[in-house]
Amino acid sequence: MKALAYSFYRLNDSVQRIVRGLLPVALLLGRLYVAWVFFKAGLTKVDDWGTTLFLFEEEYSVPLLSPELAAFLATFGELVFPILLALGLLSLVSSLGLFVINIVAVISLAMIAPAAELYHVVWGLILMALAMCGPGLFSLDKLIGDRLRRA
C-alpha cells in the first residue's frame, strides 16, 4: 500500500512539473482572450456612441458617476487596458483596471442573464489570476524587468 501511495505521488509530482512548464502559455492565452473580449466591447461602444450614451443613461446605473463620464471611462478602459494586457505591459494595472470594469458592469445592471453573469465570473477569475501571477514569460513586463535588473 505504501509503495502504491509513493508511486502515485511521484506521478503527481511529474505531472505537476509538466503543467508548471505550461504556465507561461496559459498566462499568454488568458491575457489574449480577456483582452479580445474587452477590446471588442470597447469598439462596439465607439461604433455607436449615441447608443452607448443612451444605455449608460437608461440601462446601466453606474454608482457615483454621471452617465457621460461612466460611458467615457468604460470605453477608454475597454480600449486601452486590453492593448496593454495583450502586450503584457503594465499588466498589473491593466488586469486590475479590467477587473474593476468587469465588476462595475455586473453591479450596474439591474438584471443580468445567468449565462452572461457566468462569463463575467470567468473573466474576473482570469483577471485575478493574471494580477496575482503576473503576465508570464511572454510579456513586455518580463522583458523590461529583465533588462532593468541587468542594468
Side-chain angles (χ1 to χ4, degrees), residues 59-61 105-114 116-117 120:
E59 185 74 21
Y60 312 143
S61 30
V106 171
I107 64 171
S108 66
L109 282 170
M111 294 287 294
I112 186 167
E117 187 175 36
H120 283 279

Side-chain angles (χ1 to χ4, degrees), residues 87-149:
L87 295 172
L89 181 62
L90 300 173
S91 55
L92 179 60
V93 171
S94 57
S95 59
L96 290 177
L98 289 174
F99 188 82
V100 168
I101 290 170
N102 189 45
I103 288 175
V104 171
V106 171
I107 64 171
S108 66
L109 282 170
M111 294 287 294
I112 186 167
E117 187 175 36
L118 179 61
Y119 279 118
H120 283 279
V121 169
V122 169
W123 300 330
L125 289 171
I126 293 170
L127 289 164
M128 187 171 54
L130 290 169
M132 293 171 69
C133 294
L137 183 64
F138 307 117
S139 67
L140 288 178
D141 283 347
K142 171 80 170 118
L143 180 69
I144 292 167
D146 287 351
R147 289 206 176 164
L148 289 175
R149 279 187 283 284

